[in-house]
Amino acid sequence: MMIVAWFSRAREFRADAGAASLAGREKMIAALRRLQSTTKLIDNSEPELATLKINNRRAMMLFATHPPLDARIAALEMMRWHEVHEGHEGHEGHEGPDQECLSCPS
């Protein structure tokens, strides 16, 4: 089951990237953030179905079919960061959006 869940999570990241290329990355990020705001609406009445629901419990992550929303948003933001910084000189000094790049336009 854990292997199937891992493939499902990987497939979800690819689906997010595909949706971002079709609808726009900012719209996809906004949609995922909107999902984050609805966590109060999650039905916890049937815990045996928890792996099929979007939740933030770390213990269930190995069996979850979807990655956490924070991870999905971060992956889309990383895609945007790599597109902006790809191919210009002086880029080798940093690896992600948390690191400042003095040679990149903001």
Side-chain angles (χ1 to χ4, degrees), residues 6-25:
W6 180 87
F7 278 107
S8 180
R9 290 189 303 271
R11 188 173 49 243
E12 195 67 24
F13 281 117
R14 287 191 306 274
D16 287 348
S21 70
L22 291 173
R25 192 172 298 106

Side-chain angles (χ1 to χ4, degrees), residues 7-62:
F7 278 107
S8 180
R9 290 189 303 271
R11 188 173 49 243
E12 195 67 24
F13 281 117
R14 287 191 306 274
D16 287 348
S21 70
L22 291 173
R25 192 172 298 106
E26 296 305 319
K27 288 181 181 179
M28 187 63 192
I29 290 171
L32 292 173
R33 286 195 173 130
R34 179 82 186 257
L35 276 175
Q36 278 182 319
S37 70
T38 62
T39 56
K40 295 175 189 148
L41 303 175
I42 294 174
D43 176 18
N44 292 321
S45 63
E46 302 208 32
E48 59 274 1
L49 299 176
T51 59
L52 304 175
K53 300 175 185 178
I54 298 173
N55 66 52
N56 290 324
R57 290 188 225 163
R58 298 283 180 210
M60 295 301 295
M61 192 57 216
L62 289 176

